Amino acid sequence: MPGPAAGTAHAATTTDVVCLGESMVTFLPSQPGRLADVPSFGRGIGGAESNVACALAAAGHRAAWVGRVGADGFGDHLVETIAGYGVDTSAVRRDPGRPTGIYFRTATDRGAGAHEVAYYRAGSAASAMSPSNVPYGEVFAGRILHLSGITAALSGDCLALLRELTAERPGRPLVSFDVNHRPHLWRGGDASVLLELARRSDLVFVGEDEAEEAWGIEGAEAIRAALPEPSVVVVKRGSAGATVFSGLRPGPRSSNAGGAEDAAAGTGSGDTVTHVPALHVDVVAAVGAGDAFAAGFLSATLRGLPVRDRVRHGHLMAAAVLTVPGDLTEPPARDHADRLAALDDGAWGRLRLGPGWTAADRAPEEVRTS
């Protein structure tokens, strides 16, 4: 099957978000230090798209993950763990000839000079995803299809698949694309293809730092100028917060989003620019925050919340992950997150969130500082 035919997407959907991409078994260190010195590791899971699916399912949405894993014990662990979060894994394919990818990492921040990651993913089952072996009916079955640039870097076939999935066609769901530039994956490759894929999408998440590193583009306004087609561009600015450019863009955009596209788009031909400051967070481990932010933003998008609240829910979901050791955690209860997202600007700026803040019995004033 070379690719989806026009009108492949279902007229009526039962899934909110379908996330497609690689997931791996990750080994987390038992103590800080160099990989050479860590005596033992605990097993977890890691994968940008599956992280988003797990967070959305934990937040009460109908989420599905589409991927490819080996017919091995690590593949079993991935599928069972992701399904345990309430994610539909029925479209995951097993590859009898390729292994499930794994990786080891140190406890330090990904951006720190001492951070080490050892990947064992070359020739993995996920790298064999292609336009000829993906179940398109399941991929296009949601209101939103979430993808990331990590998949594009895995192989030529994976890049061809993302080009197929981001192509305009009748009934296409709203395509959410997280640039997720990982320099080590693009050694010898051309990361400019991430700009191409972002321009073919409807909703884009991109960090200021990765736009400069991958494309040589500096600043939120310049990033938006380089991405004129998407209805929404979310520029993540680290401790400075996030800036969102939203507006109906020129050119055709067919969607089967079932209302999600309306929530993601503005109401005029020009942009509405919304800046939302980041939260003060007592960080335990700076991993998985970008995926959690995307999940929070998509959750609020599906609910039709205003742009400011979508960003705030992204910040809150990221804060939940930042205050635990791993990539995934139980998000705050919806009513708890809604109360915090509704705070006035002054109260929002005084929030300081630390470990345990997501507990259901914590009221806004209990996590606020002056």
Side-chain angles (χ1 to χ4, degrees), residues 287-304:
V287 293
D291 304 329
F293 179 91
F297 191 97
L298 291 174
S299 173
T301 296
L302 287 161
R303 296 169 60 200

Side-chain angles (χ1 to χ4, degrees), residues 47 111 115 151 183 193 237-238 281:
H115 184 68
T151 305
V193 299
R237 307 176 66 195
V281 180

Side-chain angles (χ1 to χ4, degrees), residues 250-294:
R253 274 288 191 262
S254 297
S255 175
N256 191 38
E261 184 173 72
D262 293 337
T267 57
S269 58
D271 270 335
T272 298
V273 182
T274 306
H275 178 71
V276 180
L279 289 162
H280 301 286
V281 180
D282 296 328
V283 176
V284 172
V287 293
D291 304 329
F293 179 91

Side-chain angles (χ1 to χ4, degrees), residues 114-147:
H115 184 68
E116 296 176 74
V117 182
Y119 288 101
Y120 299 91
R121 76 200 310 176
S124 70
S127 69
M129 289 188 294
S130 76
S132 65
N133 62 19
V134 164
Y136 288 100
E138 288 91 340
V139 170
F140 288 138
R143 297 168 61 192
I144 296 174
L145 172 61
H146 181 71
L147 309 167

Side-chain angles (χ1 to χ4, degrees), residues 22-28 41-47 50-51 65 68-70 72-82 94 99-105 117-121 124 126 327:
E22 179 185 38
S23 191
M24 294 182 291
V25 173
T26 176
F27 289 91
L28 309 174
F41 296 80
R43 185 178 64 175
I45 66 170
S50 59
N51 285 348
W65 173 58
R68 194 173 183 88
V69 300
D72 50 32
F74 287 143
D76 293 341
H77 175 66
L78 278 175
V79 174
E80 291 167 8
T81 303
I82 293 169
R94 308 301 292 262
T100 303
I102 65 173
Y103 72 98
F104 298 77
R105 67 170 175 82
V117 182
Y119 288 101
Y120 299 91
R121 76 200 310 176
S124 70
D327 290 30

Side-chain angles (χ1 to χ4, degrees), residues 200-233:
R200 294 156 65 100
S201 303
D202 303 298
L203 165 58
V204 175
F205 300 95
V206 58
E208 275 191 320
D209 54 347
E210 60 186 352
E212 182 175 359
E213 187 170 24
W215 308 327
I217 299 172
E218 298 183 38
E221 295 285 348
I223 292 170
R224 176 48 157 168
L227 295 169
E229 294 87 356
S231 296
V232 177
V233 175

